[in-house]
Amino acid sequence: MSAPQKTIAELAAEYGLSPAEYQVVLDRLGREPNQLELGVFSVMWSEHCSYKSSKIHLGKFPTKGPRVICGPGENAGVIDIDDGDACIFKMESHNHPSFIEPYQGAATGVGGIMRDVFTMGARPVALLNALRFGDVGHEKTKRLVKGVVSGIGGYGNCVGVPTVAGETNFHAGYNGNILVNAMCVGLAKSDAIFYSAAPGAGMSVVYFGSKTGRDGIHGATMASAEFDEDSDEKRPTVQVGDPFAEKLLIEATLELMASGAVAAIQDMGAAGLTSSSVEMAGKGGVGIELDMDNVPQRETGMSAYEMMLSESQERMLAVLKPGREEDGYRIFKKWGLDAAVIGRTTDTGRLILNHHGEVVCDVPLAPLFDDAPLYDRPWVQPELHGRLTAADVAAPEIWEDAVLKVVSCPDMASKRWIWEQYDRHVMADTLQDSATGADAGVVRVHGTDKGLAVTSDCTPRYVQNDPYEGGKQCVAEAWRNLTAVGSLPIAITDNLNFGNPQRPEIMGQIVRAIDGMAEACRELDFPVVSGNVSLYNETNGAAIPPTPTVGGVGLLRNYDVVTGFSTMAEGDTLILIGATEGELGASIYLREVLGREDGAPPPVDLKLERRTGDFIRSQIETGQLTVVHDLSDGGLIGAAADLALASDIGIVLNAADHGQLFGEDQARYLIAAPNPDDIIAAAREAGLPVSLVGTAGGAAFAAEGLFSIPMAHLREIHEGWMPGWIEAA
């Protein structure tokens, strides 16, 4: 006996529309929608596409600046990097798909973020990723790590774009919902940027790329819902990627743009053909009519519903200038891509779909935008923690054990096993990457003396304990990392990963984190030009730690003047710029050595961040500094160990207590220099705290009177954790 057919109202709930939202659909249409029309509304009004729970608060971000060419609202952000050059970049999540099917989820996340960038006219030149996995003892974690890393490497390596930077964290809070945030950076000419708004009626709408299949149907809706015990049943909503098709698509798209035939263009990402067609027409204030019979299909018998909601990968939609269709076909044939004119723009202001000689969808476009839900959800102030300094926290019982626990814990240990699987030097413009010892990846702007510095940053344990200060710190950390390699920080993209916004305590995390981020962006002249919000990251009511990831881009006017921390020499003096109070709240030391996760995160003095960073950058630009590392996780111990391991030279620190050594105070930089006098004098003249904290030399990592660890043992412990964990039964 067959199951009874569901009513449209029942389907609306299944597709994620609330009763009130469904009533708006009924009011605007003046009738009940059919299943296809309901599907169009549901994906366009999903959290993933409409930002209905966060849009009000996203308006707090500064989005303009002297170098901003295009801010949020397009596929990616665009900034001016001088000489007629532009940098286009964005970060986006593929969290839910990667948990369900880690290889394809991560791979298609890479492919999707690249399309966001080259659809605006840029050639992708760098990839980054920010990965958060569950506890290393959890039964799923190892499989997820292997699958995600293989997916990122498999896609990025094949398409030929270097993966130059990123971060990887582990915490039990991600056991049921990992995070895979992918970022792409591209280069274009500032007078050749392409946008998605269809400029008028009567133009051909051209589909090109791979054929449409049934993979990924309702992926945007799935990404806007929390998980439960039946999450594995959502595998059909995960897309399947083909990096070789993506490479062909990149070349064909850029050639099509160079031909002058493109009037508007949009990749088919979340919600596939629905979002691309609706957004192109809606932004241009026109209508669009599509003939679904002409859509290239890789499976037989596909319905219009399946074609419109599929999220098959490596597909683009373009509006071509009148009479340029043959130019497009010639280019698509050259690159071996499927292509078809599937419709035209109209003056009706409606989305009309024809299939097998029938009109199967006829809805006004305006409600899809104007009536998309916009919620000012109730929120409560997150619970805050008290400040913890050295006086409040026990010192190590055995110093050597404490140091080794910090440098070899899953968050701090070498991620060589991961980044060795990524091609970091394809395109031959990578100057610094995960292997070279630096706070940010650096790629040349080909054919110039300029370089781009790129970084991805978030400290979820800070945001968990104080979303406002943690939000500030995410932005400040990215700004510091770009500064530490000598670049001028220009702008950020963000990926705001949180739990269910309908829970006031989670909405409080979202609101206060955005408040902190927005303040930091204003104080540091570091505007937000693109981004993504990923909500409902939770399983059975347990939310992930709040994780607002920041991707930053900076400009090196001369890439020869770049700093790292692998060139420290014997006899160098270690100089700390910045004040140390010994902030141990929410620190790596507190968690790994004492098993505690309480305490307020270190406060972020943004004016001091600005003054300190501007000073460091000025010293780099004048050639005074060559070895620079910002202080963050693990405090002075973490930063000094990085210098020692990168340069293969021992260090003797002279700090006296655990607050000075493990404290994670902000606005600090560690410098190694042969002659400290000039730097100390310059710092004091600038009104900045400065201190001598150690000397480089010998074969041990040590602190006077506290511990001494042979460098060989430090390296063995630091680099051995991850391969040992991966290979263990």
Side-chain angles (χ1 to χ4, degrees):
M1 184 175 178
S2 60
Q5 190 170 2
K6 293 180 180 177
T7 67
I8 292 295
E10 288 171 334
L11 283 176
E14 186 176 298
Y15 292 175
L17 291 176
S18 70
E21 290 167 354
Y22 179 56
Q23 186 60 50
V24 174
V25 175
L26 294 177
D27 292 344
R28 294 300 176 265
L29 293 183
R31 59 176 173 82
E32 187 176 72
N34 61 36
Q35 184 181 4
L36 172 53
E37 293 166 338
L38 180 69
V40 168
F41 272 94
S42 72
V43 294
M44 293 306 297
W45 287 7
S46 69
E47 198 77 60
H48 193 79
C49 293
S50 72
Y51 300 109
K52 56 190 175 185
S53 294
S54 57
K55 199 168 188 177
I56 289 174
H57 301 285
L58 296 177
K60 300 170 184 175
F61 285 138
T63 59
K64 300 182 185 302
R67 289 184 176 271
V68 176
I69 295 173
C70 177
E74 275 292 338
N75 289 287
V78 187
I79 57 174
D80 183 352
I81 56 169
D82 298 333
D83 311 308
D85 295 321
C87 174
I88 300 178
F89 63 101
K90 187 182 182 183
M91 178 180 283
E92 196 161 66
S93 62
H94 234 221
N95 304 335
H96 286 58
S98 298
F99 184 76
I100 295 169
E101 213 307 298
Y103 184 93
Q104 290 296 347
T108 52
V110 174
I113 198 62
M114 282 198 285
R115 288 194 297 280
D116 279 339
V117 166
F118 71 75
T119 195
M120 295 196 69
R123 179 171 292 280
V125 297
L127 294 168
L128 300 83
N129 53 73
L131 312 177
R132 323 282 172 183
F133 297 104
D135 184 85
V136 295
H138 190 268
E139 60 182 1
K140 290 186 177 181
T141 300
K142 193 178 299 186
R143 179 183 66 84
L144 291 168
V145 170
K146 290 178 178 179
V148 165
V149 171
S150 295
I152 291 170
Y155 203 100
N157 296 353
C158 290
V159 83
V161 179
T163 300
V164 301
E167 56 182 341
T168 304
N169 295 143
F170 296 85
H171 190 276
Y174 303 105
N175 282 349
N177 199 127
I178 65 172
L179 302 184
V180 175
N181 296 170
M183 178 174 169
C184 180
V185 180
L187 290 169
K189 290 297 180 182
S190 55
D191 60 355
I193 309 299
F194 290 81
Y195 299 96
S196 58
M203 294 183 175
S204 294
V205 178
V206 177
Y207 170 122
F208 65 100
S210 297
K211 289 182 171 71
T212 293
R214 291 188 170 96
D215 53 321
I217 292 173
H218 264 295
T221 305
M222 181 268 289
S224 304
E226 62 185 83
F227 285 150
D228 54 28
E229 293 89 347
D230 300 322
S231 294
D232 281 348
E233 295 179 5
K234 296 179 179 178
R235 285 182 188 276
T237 63
V238 178
Q239 313 93 324
V240 178
D242 181 349
F244 300 104
E246 181 97 342
K247 175 61 175 172
L248 298 175
L249 192 63
I250 292 172
E251 301 305 329
T253 301
L254 295 179
E255 186 172 335
L256 182 68
M257 291 167 167
S259 76
V262 175
I265 190 164
Q266 174 80 34
D267 76 299
M268 293 191 221
L273 186 52
T274 293
S275 64
S276 55
S277 58
V278 167
E279 288 176 8
M280 291 176 80
K283 289 179 181 178
V286 298
I288 190 166
E289 184 166 354
L290 304 180
D291 187 344
M292 305 307 293
D293 297 326
N294 293 340
V295 173
Q297 300 161 53
R298 80 167 176 261
E299 300 182 45
T300 59
M302 291 191 71
S303 67
Y305 175 89
E306 291 171 324
M307 285 184 270
M308 288 299 289
L309 276 296
S310 168
E311 293 186 7
S312 294
Q313 297 292 285
E314 294 87 39
R315 301 180 300 158
M316 303 286 282
L317 199 64
V319 174
L320 298 188
K321 295 175 182 177
R324 302 300 299 272
E325 293 85 356
E326 287 305 316
D327 294 329
Y329 280 129
R330 174 180 51 79
I331 292 168
F332 304 140
K333 183 178 180 181
K334 170 185 173 181
W335 291 103
L337 298 177
D338 286 288
V341 174
I342 64 169
R344 300 187 71 77
T345 56
T346 68
D347 60 3
T348 65
R350 302 183 74 82
L351 171 68
I352 298 176
L353 306 177
N354 301 294
H355 193 219
H356 298 332
E358 295 182 8
V359 176
V360 293
C361 173
D362 184 352
V363 297
L365 285 164
L368 294 171
F369 293 94
D370 299 341
D371 295 323
L374 189 62
Y375 295 122
D376 187 0
R377 296 197 185 277
W379 61 278
V380 296
Q381 173 68 42
E383 181 183 351
L384 302 180
H385 293 238
R387 185 179 176 217
L388 297 177
T389 60
D392 309 302
V393 175
E397 293 182 8
I398 303 174
W399 273 91
E400 284 83 357
D401 288 353
V403 172
L404 292 174
K405 276 185 179 180
V406 165
V407 300
S408 67
C409 73
D411 281 2
M412 298 287 286
S414 169
K415 303 304 185 298
R416 178 186 295 273
W417 183 89
I418 293 177
W419 50 253
E420 281 190 339
Q421 298 185 52
Y422 303 153
D423 190 333
R424 307 179 306 282
H425 297 280
V426 64
M427 302 180 80
D429 280 320
T430 303
L431 297 176
Q432 293 189 158
D433 61 79
S434 302
T436 52
D439 283 307
V442 179
V443 294
R444 282 185 291 237
V445 178
H446 199 80
T448 76
D449 294 329
K450 296 179 295 190
L452 290 176
V454 294
T455 185
S456 165
D457 297 287
C458 182
T459 311
R461 62 184 188 276
Y462 290 177
V463 191
Q464 181 79 61
N465 288 10
D466 186 339
Y468 175 70
E469 286 295 330
K472 285 162 62 177
Q473 194 272 342
C474 295
V475 175
E477 171 85 0
W479 194 84
R480 276 201 307 274
N481 283 334
L482 297 176
T483 292
V485 299
S487 74
L488 174 68
I490 295 179
I492 70 169
T493 182
D494 60 51
N495 205 146
L496 308 181
N497 307 274
F498 293 89
N500 183 345
Q502 297 178 56
R503 294 166 55 195
E505 65 273 21
I506 299 298
M507 198 64 215
Q509 293 176 345
I510 297 169
V511 171
R512 293 302 286 155
I514 289 175
D515 287 344
M517 294 173 72
E519 182 179 341
C521 288
R522 287 190 297 270
E523 288 289 336
L524 299 174
D525 289 333
F526 208 23
V528 179
V529 297
S530 61
N532 173 238
V533 177
S534 175
L535 305 181
Y536 296 94
N537 288 290
E538 55 183 73
T539 299
N540 294 327
I544 60 161
T547 312
T549 308
V550 170
V553 175
L555 175 65
L556 287 152
R557 294 186 176 90
N558 180 353
Y559 61 67
D560 285 332
V561 184
V562 63
T563 54
F565 38 89
S566 61
T567 57
M568 183 177 68
E570 290 271 352
D572 277 358
T573 298
L574 269 64
I575 309 157
L576 181 61
I577 307 291
T580 300
E581 298 292 334
E583 298 287 346
L584 290 169
S587 66
I588 289 286
Y589 170 80
L590 194 71
R591 187 181 74 191
E592 298 299 327
V593 178
L594 301 180
R596 296 168 52 186
E597 297 190 38
D598 58 319
V604 181
D605 182 334
L606 293 166
K607 288 183 168 48
L608 182 60
E609 286 280 4
R610 182 66 181 265
R611 284 199 299 121
T612 309
D614 288 349
F615 169 77
I616 293 292
R617 200 178 312 107
S618 70
Q619 296 295 298
I620 294 171
E621 290 171 350
T622 57
Q624 298 298 308
L625 304 180
T626 58
V627 179
V628 180
H629 189 5
D630 87 306
L631 272 72
S632 54
D633 288 352
L636 179 57
I637 286 289
D642 284 342
L643 264 62
L645 291 164
S647 59
D648 201 22
I649 296 171
I651 286 175
V652 179
L653 299 169
N654 58 26
D657 67 27
H658 58 300
Q660 293 174 343
L661 286 165
F662 294 107
E664 296 182 5
D665 308 65
Q666 301 293 291
R668 297 188 299 163
Y669 297 81
L670 185 62
I671 296 160
N675 185 349
D677 295 344
D678 290 344
I679 297 167
I680 291 172
R684 286 174 176 164
E685 185 177 346
L688 296 172
V690 57
S691 55
L692 302 180
V693 294
T695 305
F701 183 64
E704 295 174 359
L706 295 178
F707 65 87
S708 181
I709 301 168
M711 281 297 300
H713 186 49
L714 184 73
R715 185 175 304 282
E716 177 187 9
I717 295 296
H718 178 68
E719 295 198 357
W721 174 78
M722 191 159 204
W725 173 66
I726 288 289
E727 293 165 10

